[in-house]
Amino acid sequence: MSGEVEMSSEKQSRRRRVSCAPYFDALWFCYSPVHQMQQYYRVGVLDNCSQKWSGLVDCLTLKTKRSSEVEEIMETREKEKPHLWSTRTPEEATAHWRELFDHLDEE
């Protein structure tokens, strides 16, 4: 019996908890004068915060789904997200280096 309890608590701890607080905070900050003035200075227009709204709505939509569906959706998103580093073969790295910096050796 205790083995079953351990398995169920282990499964629950592995399940992801979707928290919408960061999305709400990002939306709240988006409407702040600091952010709006930064955007106006950098881009020349005020931010309409549509990306922040869509992030919050997406998070709230995930909260209405079953945990198994959320797991599948989150795993799919992680797989689609590009990796921070791209691995190159030595030949690719050499070609890329020459493309970027070969003009410096011409002098």
Side-chain angles (χ1 to χ4, degrees):
M1 185 74 172
S2 66
E4 291 176 23
V5 172
E6 288 176 17
M7 286 293 277
S8 65
S9 66
E10 187 176 313
K11 279 185 179 181
Q12 288 177 354
S13 67
R14 278 190 285 157
R15 286 189 183 147
R16 298 173 199 211
R17 303 239 178 216
V18 178
S19 173
C20 295
Y23 297 100
F24 181 76
D25 290 343
L27 180 64
W28 187 267
F29 179 72
C30 186
Y31 284 110
S32 72
V34 171
H35 175 73
Q36 292 296 328
M37 289 299 105
Q38 281 178 345
Q39 284 299 111
Y40 191 75
Y41 178 76
R42 292 177 184 164
V43 185
V45 293
L46 296 176
D47 192 353
N48 66 2
C49 303
S50 63
Q51 290 180 337
K52 307 297 189 276
W53 273 109
S54 60
L56 180 62
V57 169
D58 182 47
C59 181
L60 293 172
T61 303
L62 280 177
K63 295 283 252 182
T64 63
K65 297 187 182 302
R66 291 182 307 208
S67 61
S68 60
E69 289 180 75
V70 172
E71 283 293 322
E72 290 177 26
I73 292 169
M74 297 300 280
E75 286 177 13
T76 304
R77 287 181 183 177
E78 282 183 10
K79 289 177 184 176
E80 291 173 353
K81 191 187 301 185
H83 196 272
L84 177 64
W85 299 100
S86 61
T87 307
R88 296 186 174 126
T89 65
E91 294 79 24
E92 290 173 330
T94 303
H96 185 68
W97 178 270
R98 286 190 178 136
E99 181 183 317
L100 292 176
F101 302 110
D102 204 29
H103 68 281
L104 298 175
D105 293 333
E106 293 174 2
E107 296 175 6

